[in-house]
């Protein structure tokens, strides 16, 4: 029998994001925008996965602020605590407990084959065990809530497949508890940074904060790499290879796109003017979110309350799963051995 997801009329979804501080355009296009839409017809668990951040460079002094700033970005972007469970991973200890229990079935060979592990560990002299075991914790994050689906970028598909493998192996050995979560792939594809090459990320410093004021948006966007064949202002350009144009598709009024592409091809609008339109579109798109974020920063207790009650709801759900897991793995010895 294939175990079903947790009961409820809406399919359950889990997704997490590392607390790298305020969200940036890549986070928004690759995840947050889709998460906001998923709330319409899914039961969503959105988690700030602070324990995953421990496998990379982090400072204990900065981590709490990074968590808080990401929570503000979540709420400003439209994640709704009335409809979704929004919480911080370390507030629910069952994530790490389940990750440890999954060590019983997680195959080391598969962990070593993960592309992200190979890429990151290749640059390290001493590899922390957490880097290898990261996908086990990720599997625990998802399976703890018996999620039916997980919104993921293509670079996370391999980790999700491993989570499915862990669910299969655990179920085969201990009984059917975990459904195999399916991927929900976003429509944004790979979001390229302003440098025109690498994936957009804070660590590559090739992005824009979603809550940046218009001046800052412009100062970032004006540095964006464009079609390299366009050297002089009146050279014909190729919008289809220009990353500025691909960002226009996300943020600029669709009615203006034919004009932007046409003027680029004809060499009748310079890249600086084209970028200025993009910067204005981005700043305008995020204006309501900047307002919501300002209100949240003025009332931090509200953010605390939302995360507090989100964690309580998540813990209750996690406990339901863990009771079955502990029982199936023989860890409820008091129930099984009679008191003398
Ligand atoms: Fe890119 Fe715009 Fe310049 Fe064309 S005009 S190359 S779309 S920045």
């Amino acid at each position: 029998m294939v175990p079903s997801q947790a009961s409820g009329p809406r399919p359950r979804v889990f997704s997490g994001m590392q607390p790298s501080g305020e969200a940036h355009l890549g986070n928004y296009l690759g995840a947050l925008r889709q998460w906001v839409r998923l709330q319409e017809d899914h039961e969503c668990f959105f988690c700030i996965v602070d324990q995953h951040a421990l496998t990379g460079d982090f400072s204990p002094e900065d981590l709490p602020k990074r968590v808080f700033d990401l929570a503000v970005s979540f709420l400003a972007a439209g994640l709704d605590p009335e409809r979704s469970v929004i919480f911080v991973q370390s507030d629910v200890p069952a994530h790490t407990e389940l990750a440890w229990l999954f060590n019983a079935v997680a195959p080391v060979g598969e962990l070593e084959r993960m592309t992200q592990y190979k890429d990151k560990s290749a640059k390290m002299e001493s590899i922390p065990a957490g880097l290898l075991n990261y996908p086990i914790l990720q599997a625990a994050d998802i399976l703890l809530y018996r999620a039916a689906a997980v919104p993921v970028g293509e670079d996370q598909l391999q980790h999700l497949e491993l989570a499915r493998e862990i669910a299969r192996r655990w179920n085969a050995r201990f009984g059917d508890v975990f459904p195999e979560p399916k991927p929900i792939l976003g429509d944004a594809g790979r979001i390229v940074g302003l440098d025109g090459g690498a994936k957009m990320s804070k660590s590559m410093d090739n992005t824009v904060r979603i809550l940046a004021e218009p001046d800052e948006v412009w100062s970032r966007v004006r540095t964006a790499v464009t079609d390299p064949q366009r050297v002089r202002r009146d050279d014909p350009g190729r919008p289809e290879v220009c990353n500025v144009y691909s960002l226009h598709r996300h943020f600029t009024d669709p009615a203006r796109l034919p004009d932007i592409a046409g003027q680029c091809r004809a060499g009748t609008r310079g890249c600086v003017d084209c970028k200025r339109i993009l910067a204005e579109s981005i700043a305008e798109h995020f204006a309501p979110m900047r307002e919501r974020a300002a209100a949240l920063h003025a009332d931090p207790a509200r953010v605390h309350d939302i995360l507090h009650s989100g964690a309580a709801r998540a813990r209750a759900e996690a406990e339901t799963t863990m009771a079955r897991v502990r029982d199936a793995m023989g860890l409820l010895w008091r129930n099984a051995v009679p008191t003398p």
Side-chain angles (χ1 to χ4, degrees):
M1 187 186 82
V2 177
S4 63
Q5 63 151 109
S7 60
R10 296 177 297 160
R12 182 173 289 179
V13 155
F14 174 93
S15 202
M17 192 179 287
Q18 279 212 29
S20 51
E22 188 184 304
H24 58 73
L25 291 192
N27 300 137
Y28 179 75
L29 294 174
L32 277 179
R33 191 179 54 162
Q34 184 193 22
W35 294 7
V36 171
R37 289 196 297 257
L38 282 169
Q39 298 178 120
E40 301 296 329
D41 45 11
H42 291 76
E43 182 191 18
C44 298
F45 284 67
F46 295 126
C47 184
I48 297 176
V49 288
D50 55 345
Q51 285 162 326
H52 283 285
L54 310 184
T55 60
D57 271 344
F58 80 103
S59 135
E61 289 74 32
D62 289 348
L63 193 55
K65 179 166 169 20
R66 282 165 47 181
V67 168
F68 181 84
D69 287 348
L70 185 61
V72 169
S73 294
F74 275 14
L75 299 168
L79 297 191
D80 177 1
E82 298 296 322
R83 287 185 292 174
S84 300
V85 182
I86 301 166
F87 67 106
V88 180
Q89 185 185 33
S90 59
D91 284 338
V92 185
H95 286 250
T96 44
E97 181 184 355
L98 186 58
W100 177 253
L101 301 184
F102 280 162
N103 277 309
V105 293
V108 172
E110 295 288 329
L111 293 169
E112 287 172 336
R113 270 194 283 282
M114 295 292 112
T115 306
Q116 206 171 81
Y117 170 73
K118 287 197 284 191
D119 288 351
K120 289 189 176 173
S121 62
K123 298 174 199 140
M124 294 177 167
E125 269 181 35
S126 169
I127 303 163
L131 193 63
L132 180 69
N133 294 335
Y134 185 108
I136 303 180
L137 182 56
Q138 232 174 8
D141 298 335
I142 299 163
L143 298 174
L144 188 56
Y145 301 99
R146 303 191 314 287
V150 183
V152 279
E154 291 204 0
D155 57 346
Q156 287 298 316
L157 272 176
Q158 199 184 25
H159 284 182
L160 182 60
E161 188 44 54
L162 182 59
R164 289 163 56 86
E165 173 73 21
I166 288 173
R168 276 194 295 274
R169 287 179 181 231
W170 193 96
N171 287 344
R173 180 151 172 212
F174 300 106
D176 288 331
V177 169
F178 299 111
E180 289 180 37
K182 294 186 173 53
I184 302 176
L185 272 173
D187 52 9
R190 182 171 180 264
I191 311 295
V192 174
L194 300 176
D195 54 9
K199 182 182 169 185
M200 192 178 267
S201 73
K202 190 172 179 181
S203 59
M204 294 298 290
D205 193 27
N206 63 2
T207 187
V208 185
R209 302 185 300 120
I210 64 168
L211 303 176
E213 292 296 330
D215 283 356
E216 184 184 331
V217 175
W218 169 236
S219 77
R220 301 292 299 172
V221 168
R222 71 200 293 262
T223 66
V225 171
T226 65
D227 176 2
Q229 280 188 24
R230 204 167 179 210
V231 180
R232 291 197 317 260
R233 192 182 188 283
D234 53 358
D235 282 342
R238 299 169 299 168
E240 60 281 357
V241 303
C242 176
N243 193 37
V244 170
Y245 188 72
S246 66
L247 291 171
H248 271 299
R249 285 184 203 268
H250 292 298
F251 294 109
T252 301
D253 179 354
R256 297 185 69 181
L257 294 179
D259 170 65
I260 289 167
Q263 299 239 31
C264 173
R265 287 197 184 93
T268 47
R269 180 183 282 128
C271 288
V272 174
D273 291 341
C274 182
K275 289 180 193 177
R276 200 174 282 281
I277 297 170
L278 175 63
E280 287 166 4
S281 302
I282 292 173
E284 194 179 317
H285 182 90
F286 290 108
M289 299 178 208
R290 285 198 300 279
E291 260 182 49
R292 286 200 285 270
L296 291 162
H297 277 296
D299 184 11
R302 175 159 159 67
V303 180
H304 281 257
D305 285 350
I306 289 169
L307 296 179
H308 184 76
S309 60
R313 288 166 69 190
R315 275 196 299 270
E317 194 58 47
E319 265 316 300
T320 307
T321 304
M322 290 310 297
R324 294 172 66 185
V325 168
R326 293 186 198 111
D327 188 26
M329 295 185 82
L331 296 168
L332 298 183
W333 67 270
R334 281 189 180 80
N335 296 351
V337 180
T339 315

